[in-house]
Amino acid sequence: MHIGTQHVSGDNWEGYQVLTQLGVNHVSANPPGSWQNWSVDILTQFKEKLASIGISLDMIILPLSSVAAKSQGLPHIFLGPSSERDEELDRLCDLIRNLSLAGIPAGRYNITILGHLRTERRIGRGGATLSSFEYSKLDQSLGEFEGGTADADEMWERIDYFLSRVVSVAEEYKVRLACHPQDPGIGGQTYRGVARVMGMAEGLKKFVEMHESPYHGLNFCIGTVSESLGNPGEEIYEVVRYFGERKKLFNIHFRNIKGGFLDFVEVFPDEGDVNMLRALRTLKEVNYPYMVMPDHVPGISGEAPGAVGFAYCFGYIHALMQALDEED
Amino acid sequence: MKIGTRISPDWLNRPDDLRFLKQIGVDCVDITLDICPGYSEAGGRANRAGLEKVVETINKAGLKIERANTSNRDYIKTFLGRPGSEQELDNLIANTELCGEFNLPVMGIQCFQASLFGHFPKSLHSYIEGRGKYKHLKVDLSDALDQPSPEGAPTHEEIWERTLAIFRGVVPVAESVGVKIAMHGNDPPVSSIFGVPQILYNFTAFDRLFSEVPSPNNGMTFCVGTRYESGEDVFEGIRHFGEQNKIFHVHFRDVRGTILEKKSYEEVIPDSGDLDMYQVAKALHDVGYDAVIDYDHIMRLATDGPEGREYIAYCVGHMRGLLQAVESCS
């Protein structure tokens, strides 16, 4: 396994250079411009240009990001049967083929309708602002989702349809599809009439068994999965092991939280409830071979807070990886 | 162990930049006393109000001062045997007392550096490109060693006498006010540069300093980088001085190459040098060291500002990861 990142993308070449300076040589990044123009040529040129400065393009994010469906590049894929859904799935399959032909081995994506859910930010160490979630403070006045409600059965049906279309293409073209859990899971409840079946570990277990394939797996976010556990500091490692042993981990978001199910804050990796060294050791024990990357970072003061926060995480991950090497 | 960083003096006027240190988990900061209002004007003597202002600003950001450093320019007359040494010693004693009054754990006293005698005929420094083309310092001593002493330069023994005079004056005061005096030693760690002698360049010299002025308050800033540059065994040094409780502060810096082998070395990003910094952290832990480690010098990254916030964050993250790993193994 190796350190990676997703926070530099497009034509931010100065940003990529800093990555190489900080010993980060693997990325999930997207070519500049709209995904609709990502021809094999554009993808290939982007990959080669990164390679020329010592960066391996291990992954891109497909036009199914973590935001609400209506803001997605492909907004209809998880909204139930429609001709738009089928057209979008065709385009997604075309993109998977293009990735393969450009030599990009993986794409990450989200299955989400409402996007990430968060409530008011809280204050952390030194006044850092922390992305937070408290279920009881979730805005319940919004009513049912205007695109139609979907209970758990309905969601699984839509997911099944999605997988039935894309997994065989991914397998044929040998492109790993890495799905990010829903952030956060809220158990068996719905929010605005929509179930979040991909937010809980049990849901993820079911997910990887559907249309089972070595090219169908997870962008496993340690933060998000911890958010679904009652006591993540004790429980997360076995969840990591479960998916790791089954070779379903295609990318790791290396993020920590305080709290757990229905009430948590995102914190710096060193100060949360999860022992990140133990999490990384578990990944090593299951011979996880891909990227380990910081995900979000707390809001810090001063200039370039994002770059500073990620630099902190790179140093931290480097140190833990070195410490693990020394354990051998 | 705790994590320390240096601060940029103007951060005292920009609380956001001090707070960012606390946010990324820094525990302590290192200051030079010349950031205290009135210090330089008084010829290297801190006053109560000036230090109080600095201490308050730093405490307000949730941080603590671990080490207050003095500059060897503050006692240059003493080193060079010029009139005015009594005043310099008096200033140092006053600074020590003041550090005690504010409960600052460590005060740094610097040694005589060859550069204090005058400009070198040729710069030792150049900046070369490292990983991803970041610029880092290379120090090349190949022309500077084994040169005849220039006229008027102090001898090794003179520097020893003058250094010991400072320590004999300050250390008893430090003991009485509960401040530890930390000697960093020469950087670069060599016995002379272009013929100008230096004395504190190896373990033997530190041993001499500690035996000539024996005190539990007389110890060192163990600069991992400098000690490695010298060619001596860093791990042996940590054991040797750590077991005697002589390590009061640590500069946690990585280097490529030693003077012993190449007459040159490069200061590099901490995960990329010759030293295994995990083992360094472990050695410090094993010897019971529990004060501060500080990454020391700043490297310039492509998108970073002159104060090096991204680089600082990287190093703090790196140190925190190593410390958590080392501490979880015990």
Side-chain angles (χ1 to χ4, degrees):
Chain A
M1 67 185 163
H2 36 255
I3 189 164
T5 194
Q6 62 183 23
H7 84 293
V8 182
S9 196
D11 54 7
N12 180 6
W13 293 97
E14 209 179 30
Y16 296 123
Q17 190 192 347
V18 172
L19 294 181
T20 62
Q21 295 176 341
L22 294 178
V24 179
N25 298 92
H26 297 263
V27 295
S28 167
N30 287 357
S34 165
W35 66 274
Q36 301 185 60
N37 302 324
W38 292 348
S39 62
V40 175
D41 275 354
I42 282 179
L43 290 164
T44 305
Q45 283 162 17
F46 182 58
K47 182 180 161 75
E48 285 174 356
K49 193 168 174 188
L50 283 168
S52 75
I53 60 164
I55 290 184
S56 171
L57 179 60
D58 288 4
M59 186 172 259
I60 67 156
I61 182 158
L62 299 167
L64 289 167
S65 72
S66 60
V67 298
K70 62 179 183 215
S71 311
Q72 298 285 359
L74 299 170
H76 297 95
I77 284 188
F78 296 107
L79 293 188
S82 70
S83 58
E84 289 94 338
R85 175 170 79 165
D86 287 321
E87 282 161 25
E88 288 176 11
L89 280 165
D90 288 342
R91 290 158 79 189
L92 184 63
C93 290
D94 288 345
L95 183 54
I96 293 168
R97 281 186 205 101
N98 287 356
L99 288 184
S100 174
L101 295 172
I104 300 167
R108 60 191 173 93
Y109 68 102
N110 294 259
I111 294 177
T112 188
I113 290 177
L114 300 176
H116 282 17
L117 302 178
R118 288 294 186 270
T119 49
E120 194 184 355
R121 288 177 85 86
R122 295 183 201 163
I123 301 300
R125 187 165 69 186
T129 67
L130 308 178
S131 175
S132 305
F133 179 77
E134 203 173 333
Y135 182 74
S136 61
K137 292 189 176 163
L138 205 52
D139 186 352
Q140 299 289 358
S141 70
L142 294 173
E144 288 185 344
F145 171 58
E146 49 279 3
T149 59
D151 63 12
D153 289 343
E154 172 67 21
M155 278 311 300
W156 283 121
E157 203 175 305
R158 294 179 188 180
I159 291 167
D160 180 66
Y161 186 74
F162 166 78
L163 293 175
S164 74
R165 289 289 313 273
V166 298
V167 171
S168 58
V169 177
E171 201 165 286
E172 180 184 350
Y173 286 92
K174 296 188 166 40
V175 173
R176 290 184 301 277
L177 298 180
C179 184
H180 191 288
Q182 276 165 342
D183 183 3
I186 54 173
Q189 315 167 82
T190 59
Y191 177 60
R192 302 186 63 200
V194 178
R196 298 176 74 83
V197 295
M198 290 285 291
M200 307 302 287
E202 287 311 310
L204 298 176
K205 288 177 184 175
K206 176 173 175 175
F207 174 72
V208 297
E209 282 166 12
M210 296 164 71
H211 301 272
E212 207 280 331
S213 160
Y215 294 91
H216 161 42
L218 300 174
N219 173 12
F220 190 92
C221 176
I222 292 175
T224 306
V225 178
S226 293
E227 292 159 15
S228 75
L229 301 172
N231 185 2
E234 292 299 322
E235 299 171 60
I236 187 70
Y237 320 102
E238 285 316 302
V239 184
V240 171
R241 189 179 305 283
Y242 178 93
F243 291 105
E245 282 174 345
R246 287 161 180 77
K247 305 296 168 207
K248 298 302 176 195
L249 302 178
F250 296 163
N251 190 39
I252 298 294
H253 281 172
F254 201 69
R255 163 163 87 71
N256 208 343
I257 64 161
K258 282 182 188 168
F261 187 51
L262 301 184
D263 188 350
F264 63 85
V265 286
E266 299 186 22
V267 293
F268 279 109
D270 64 279
E271 59 168 345
D273 290 344
V274 173
N275 178 331
M276 299 307 272
L277 180 65
R278 192 171 158 198
L280 200 66
R281 187 182 295 122
T282 308
L283 288 167
K284 192 177 181 192
E285 284 166 2
V286 298
N287 295 314
Y288 170 71
Y290 306 119
M291 290 186 285
V292 173
M293 58 176 60
D295 185 16
H296 319 145
V297 289
I300 58 177
S301 50
E303 284 169 34
V308 171
F310 276 88
Y312 177 86
C313 294
F314 296 143
Y316 185 76
I317 297 172
H318 266 305
L320 297 193
M321 283 188 169
Q322 190 191 350
L324 283 186
D325 285 344
E326 306 269 344
E327 285 180 2
D328 292 342
Chain B
M1 269 180 265
K2 291 172 285 188
I3 288 177
T5 71
R6 51 187 56 196
I7 58 167
S8 211
D10 51 338
W11 288 358
L12 293 175
N13 303 318
R14 292 178 2 230
D16 272 0
D17 283 318
L18 277 177
R19 266 203 301 279
F20 121 84
L21 292 177
K22 181 69 182 176
Q23 289 163 352
I24 61 172
V26 169
D27 304 297
C28 297
V29 300
D30 195 36
I31 63 162
T32 49
L33 282 172
D34 62 8
I35 67 172
C36 299
Y39 180 85
S40 301
E41 295 84 336
R45 188 178 181 117
N47 65 69
R48 188 168 290 109
L51 183 56
E52 187 171 31
K53 186 165 184 283
V54 172
V55 169
E56 268 182 7
T57 306
I58 289 168
N59 288 353
K60 208 183 261 182
L63 300 162
K64 282 197 162 129
I65 298 173
E66 172 71 8
R67 188 183 73 151
N69 211 356
T70 61
S71 160
N72 47 21
R73 300 234 161 240
D74 298 339
Y75 23 98
I76 186 170
K77 290 171 185 157
T78 309
F79 283 137
L80 295 176
R82 292 176 185 162
S85 62
E86 296 82 359
Q87 183 60 49
E88 288 178 340
L89 185 58
D90 194 50
N91 288 345
L92 256 184
I93 287 171
N95 291 338
T96 310
E97 287 170 340
L98 210 51
C99 287
E101 218 175 285
F102 284 92
N103 294 315
L104 308 187
V106 180
M107 189 175 92
I109 293 186
Q110 301 301 308
C111 59
F112 174 79
Q113 290 277 144
S115 54
L116 280 181
F117 182 69
H119 287 297
F120 297 143
K122 183 184 164 194
S123 174
L124 307 175
H125 292 181
S126 59
Y127 285 85
I128 61 173
E129 284 186 353
R131 185 169 77 184
K133 299 185 178 175
Y134 80 95
K135 289 283 201 322
H136 65 85
L137 179 68
K138 178 176 181 176
V139 178
D140 186 349
L141 290 151
S142 47
D143 297 326
L145 304 176
D146 306 317
Q147 296 289 325
S149 188
E151 203 181 321
T155 66
H156 278 101
E157 264 321 298
E158 282 170 339
I159 300 168
W160 265 116
E161 278 168 28
R162 295 164 186 172
T163 302
L164 291 173
I166 292 172
F167 273 71
R168 288 187 182 115
V170 172
V171 168
V173 177
E175 260 186 52
S176 71
V177 300
V179 170
K180 292 175 171 177
I181 300 296
M183 163 55 71
H184 180 288
N186 288 115
D187 184 7
V190 288
S191 66
S192 71
I193 300 177
F194 292 110
V196 181
Q198 303 192 128
I199 59 168
L200 278 152
Y201 55 88
N202 62 10
F203 296 152
T204 307
F206 280 96
D207 280 336
R208 178 174 171 187
L209 178 67
F210 301 148
S211 65
E212 297 254 19
V213 188
S215 162
N217 293 58
N218 182 15
M220 69 198 296
T221 291
F222 192 98
C223 176
V224 173
T226 312
R227 304 277 62 83
Y228 179 78
E229 290 153 23
S230 75
E232 289 188 301
D233 185 333
V234 164
F235 299 96
E236 193 189 309
I238 290 171
R239 281 190 295 274
H240 176 75
F241 293 108
E243 280 166 6
Q244 301 172 61
N245 296 317
K246 289 296 181 194
I247 304 179
F248 295 162
H249 196 69
V250 169
H251 280 169
F252 199 74
R253 166 162 83 71
D254 203 358
V255 179
R256 207 176 287 146
T258 70
I259 299 164
L260 192 66
E261 280 181 15
K262 297 178 171 174
K263 296 187 179 176
S264 74
Y265 57 86
E266 298 165 32
E267 299 186 359
V268 296
I269 289 180
D271 68 290
S272 66
D274 291 349
L275 277 162
D276 178 334
M277 299 308 275
Y278 172 80
Q279 292 297 343
V280 173
K282 188 167 184 305
L284 289 164
H285 178 76
D286 290 348
V287 82
Y289 179 73
D290 66 354
V292 162
I293 60 172
D294 180 328
Y295 57 83
D296 203 17
H297 300 163
I298 288 175
M299 314 283 162
R300 184 65 73 83
L301 305 174
T303 54
D304 220 352
E307 291 144 353
R309 286 161 48 95
E310 283 178 62
Y311 185 73
I312 292 171
Y314 180 84
C315 290
V316 170
H318 189 252
M319 291 191 290
R320 181 62 71 199
L322 293 182
L323 288 187
Q324 285 188 341
V326 162
E327 284 161 7
S328 78
C329 290
S330 59

